[in-house]
Amino acid sequence: MVVGSDVKHLKVGDRVAMEPGATCNIVFAATPPYDGTLARYYSLPADLAFPLPENVSLEDGAMIEPLSVGVHSVATLGGLRANQSIVVFGCGPVGLLCMAVAKALGAARIIAVDINPARLEFAKGYAATDAYLPLNLKEGENRPAYSRRNADKMKKDLGIEDRGSKSIDLVIDASGAEVSIQTAFYIAKSGGVVVQVGMGNPNVTIDIGQLMTKELNYKGSFRYGPGSYPLAIALVAQGKINLKPLVTHRYAFKDAITAFHATRAGKSQDGKGVIKAIISGPDVSPDAS
């Protein structure tokens, strides 16, 4: 392990969180022909290595990357302030971390939306104040019609209004599902913000009438930006965000393929649902976290 001669803020042995994307050309660690960081050694520009405080574990350091996505979308792009309300579509790791950031920033209401009841229960125990299980699509119903019906039910059940103290200031779509994106436009308050974090089908139908008449601010979010990593690390170091509950599975380096299979299936062989799986480095026990 070595540190370049011009690097002054790091030394051999420092524990760091690494940002796995070269920022000049937007080349990610797993951009072909590269195979990612699952290796004993990995070369990284020094400005993409962020020192970890003593009270932040290496496992927490590995979670700073998805947390930074939440920081960028909720704090930077969404501009969420204390006592505001937020809806997050999708209760996967990124969606949950968006909720965690919102809670750390003092959100008054955090509504989790997902089609998986178990994930909704997890979200309520982790950071959400409310949870909503979407309606089922009726036979022959088109998606825009469904999304409007779903939004109406969501508003009624949760007491959401278009304006005032019961309105939704920020909507984060961390699912990428077309119906979630459509529903978001109906749920956000007039003049509210909708941030697109999840990526599914790149071609979706949206109600541009809602976008215009409500004067919504619809923003795309691409991973993270300047300041995201330092703020994410600070929120964890200060105890405002607890990352440990999200790590549901830990695997040895030699079992990496098993970890990928479990993540893809959404559950391990014992049937336990996967939120976030961590693969330990070579010669490091999964129990060492």
Side-chain angles (χ1 to χ4, degrees):
M1 201 180 304
V2 296
V3 175
S5 59
D6 291 332
V7 177
K8 306 303 180 185
H9 72 292
L10 296 171
K11 64 181 183 301
V12 173
D14 281 350
R15 301 175 319 114
V16 300
M18 54 182 291
E19 183 178 332
T23 47
C24 290
N25 298 315
I26 314 296
V27 176
F28 294 97
T31 299
Y34 307 105
D35 293 326
T37 61
L38 200 61
R40 184 177 295 274
Y41 300 108
Y42 183 78
S43 177
L44 186 74
D47 60 346
L48 299 183
F50 298 86
L52 295 174
E54 287 299 321
N55 65 330
V56 177
S57 69
L58 284 173
E59 184 173 274
D60 285 342
M63 292 287 289
I64 294 300
E65 194 274 342
L67 177 57
S68 292
V69 176
V71 165
H72 184 58
S73 58
V74 174
T76 305
L77 296 175
L80 186 75
R81 301 190 303 275
N83 209 38
Q84 289 189 323
S85 296
I86 178 175
V87 170
V88 179
F89 287 88
C91 294
V94 170
L96 290 166
L97 288 169
C98 286
M99 297 176 213
V101 172
K103 184 177 181 179
L105 295 177
R109 195 177 192 191
I110 304 168
I111 301 173
V113 183
D114 202 283
I115 60 174
N116 186 324
R119 290 209 166 192
L120 285 177
E121 282 301 312
F122 186 94
K124 284 198 69 175
Y126 182 61
T129 60
D130 300 88
Y132 177 74
L133 183 69
L135 297 170
N136 292 322
L137 188 71
K138 293 181 179 178
E139 185 177 353
E141 186 178 31
N142 63 50
R143 290 177 178 177
Y146 162 81
S147 297
R148 181 182 286 275
R149 182 170 64 89
N150 187 46
D152 288 343
K153 180 72 159 53
M154 184 174 173
K155 286 181 176 181
K156 181 180 178 181
D157 288 357
L158 298 175
I160 296 171
E161 298 178 358
D162 286 337
R163 294 177 175 83
S165 61
K166 295 182 180 180
S167 63
I168 301 300
D169 301 281
L170 172 63
V171 181
I172 301 287
D173 176 54
S175 72
E178 182 176 35
V179 291
S180 295
I181 300 168
Q182 292 167 346
T183 304
F185 280 47
Y186 296 116
I187 290 298
K189 74 175 187 179
S190 294
V193 180
V194 179
V195 178
Q196 190 63 46
V197 181
M199 178 65 177
N201 185 342
N203 299 305
V204 301
T205 298
I206 61 171
D207 188 340
I208 198 169
Q210 290 290 305
L211 182 68
M212 295 174 64
T213 58
K214 293 173 71 174
E215 295 190 345
L216 298 175
N217 195 343
Y218 187 38
K219 300 181 179 182
S221 179
F222 183 58
R223 64 184 192 131
Y224 21 79
S228 297
Y229 261 67
L231 178 53
I233 292 171
L235 290 173
V236 175
Q238 294 169 17
K240 295 181 178 179
I241 291 181
N242 182 9
L243 296 171
K244 291 177 176 54
L246 297 184
V247 181
T248 55
H249 294 70
R250 296 174 175 85
Y251 294 90
F253 189 79
K254 64 181 180 62
D255 296 323
I257 298 298
T258 302
F260 283 118
H261 285 317
T263 300
R264 182 175 184 178
K267 59 183 178 180
S268 49
Q269 291 181 338
D270 60 3
K272 182 181 179 181
V274 176
I275 298 294
K276 190 67 177 177
I278 291 287
I279 301 171
S280 297
D283 307 323
V284 177
S285 170
D287 302 320
S289 60

